[in-house]
Amino acid sequence: MRLILLIAALVLTPFAASAKEAQRPVTVLIGIDGFRADYLDRGVTPRLSSLAKDGATGPMRPSFPTKTFPNHYALVTGKRPDRNGIVGNSMIDPRRPGVMFSLGNAGQALDPFWWSEAEPLWITAERAGIRTATMFWPGSEVAFGGTRPSDWLRYDQNVSNVQRVNTLIDWLRRPAAIRPGFATIYFDTVDTVGHRFGPDSPEVNAALAEVDARIGELVDGAAKLGVPLNLVIVADHGMRATDDARVIQLDTLVDRASYIAVETGPYAAIEPITGTDDRVAKALLVPHEHMTCTRKDNLPERLHWGSNPRVAAIICIAEAGWTILSGPPQYPVKGGAHGYDNADPEMLALFIARGPAFAKGAKLEVFDNVAVAALLRAALGLPEDADADGKLADVRAALK
Ligand code: AMP
Ligand code: ZN
Ligand code: ZN
C-alpha cells in the first residue's frame, strides 16, 4: 500500500510536471526601434554582442518605406508594407475619404480597418493554441478578427524600459499553463534619441548602453526562473544624420494648398487634391537635384511598394541625408532620420537570434526583414506561410 502511494505521489507530483514544462523555450521578439546594424560594433552593448556571438547575426534590410509602423508589421506578418496594409506611419485610403491614419492619432491607429490586410504572428499563434503576450508592438493593441494576444497593453511611451522588462519577466514567472509561448517587447529610446541628437551622438551611445543593460536583465531574469528563451532581437530600420543645410522645400515647387502631404521627411507621399492633379504632377515629376519623384506605379520594382491603394499618388524619395519639407518643419531637421530608400546602408537594421532553436556563431549576409516572421514560425513549430513575402530559406542559416 505504501509503495502504491509513493508511486502515485511520484507520478502525480505537480513539481515534476512543472519542472518539465519549465524547460519549454519561450520565443521572445525584442524590437529596438532605430538600432542601426552597425551600432552593434560600437563597443557599448556588451550583452547584445555576447548574444550575437552565441547565436546568429547579420545586417537586415528593412522594407520600404524605412519607417516604424510598416516595418514592425512586416516583421510579424512576413509581408512587405504594400501587402501588409501598413504602407506608412501616416496613410490615407480612398475607401475612407477625409481620414488620415497616423501613429500619433489613437482614434485611427487603433481601428482594425487599417491592420486587417495581413495576419500578425500573435494571432496565428493564438489560433494554433500558443499563448501570446505583447509588451508593446505596433498593431498588438488592435483586435484581428475579434482575437487579441492573451496579454497586451495599450502603448504608452512613458512606461520605462525597466517596467517593460519587469512586466515580461512577470509573464515568464507564471505557471506553465498561463505562461506565454510567444512574447514581444519594444524599446523606443534609441530611435527617440537618434532623431534628436543624430546617430553619431554620445546620447545615442548612452541609449544603446541602457537598452543593452535591460536586455541583460531580461536574459538573467529568465535564466534565474529556469525558462529558456529563443530570442529574436531586431530593429525596424537604421538612422542617418540630417541637417538644416540639406532641405528640399516643396513650397518652392508647388502651392501647398494643391496637395495633401501624407508624409514628409526622407520621403514624401503626396496626394494631389482632386482637380489640381496636373499642376502638382507637372511641378514634381521632373528631375530635381536632391530627390526623385515618380508616380506610385513607376517606383523601382525592388521597393515592392506602390500597388496598395493606400500609397499616395506621387512619391518623392530624398537623396540620403536630405529632408523633404512642405512648409515649416514639425520638429527640428538637424539630428537623425529614417524613411530613405531601403538600399541605403545606413537604413540597415539589427538582427540577432539566440537560443536553443538557433545556430551558434552563424553570420548571415544581408537579408530582407520579412524573413523574420518565417524564422519565428519555425522556432514556434508553426508551418511556413506560403503566401508570405519572406521565406525561411533566406534565414535558414540562423536555424539550428
Ligand atoms: P518614427 O516616427 O517612425 O520614428 O516612429 C517611432 C515612434 O513610434 C516612437 O516615438 C514611438 O513612441 C512610437 N510608437 C511605437 N510603437 C507605438 C505604438 N504601438 N503606438 C503608437 N506609437 C508607437
Ligand atoms: Zn522606428
Ligand atoms: Zn524614428
Side-chain angles (χ1 to χ4, degrees), residues 33 66-70 72 89 103-104 109-110 115 136-141 153-157 164 186 188 191-192 195 236-237 239 338:
D33 202 311
T66 53
K67 291 279 188 178
T68 297
F69 272 32
H72 275 86
N89 276 353
L103 133 178
L110 299 177
W115 300 92
F136 299 156
W137 199 272
S140 64
E141 302 137 273
L153 290 134
R154 185 132 296 161
Y155 183 67
D156 180 356
Q157 199 174 10
R164 298 179 198 197
Y186 166 83
D188 59 274
D191 178 77
T192 306
H195 282 294
D236 47 354
H237 50 68
M239 188 65 71
H338 52 87

Side-chain angles (χ1 to χ4, degrees), residues 67 76 89 112 129 139 174 230 241 277 302 312 368 392:
K67 291 279 188 178
V76 294
N89 276 353
R174 287 178 177 170
N230 278 321
D277 189 305
R302 62 184 175 76
D368 288 355
L392 187 59

Side-chain angles (χ1 to χ4, degrees), residues 40-85:
L40 195 56
D41 308 322
R42 290 188 172 185
V44 294
T45 54
R47 299 301 301 259
L48 285 169
S49 294
S50 120
L51 291 170
K53 219 174 111 211
D54 258 13
T57 189
M60 183 169 74
R61 188 185 300 108
S63 302
F64 187 82
T66 53
K67 291 279 188 178
T68 297
F69 272 32
N71 277 287
H72 275 86
Y73 217 43
L75 287 160
V76 294
T77 59
K79 290 182 176 162
R80 297 194 177 93
D82 219 29
R83 291 187 67 225
N84 74 33

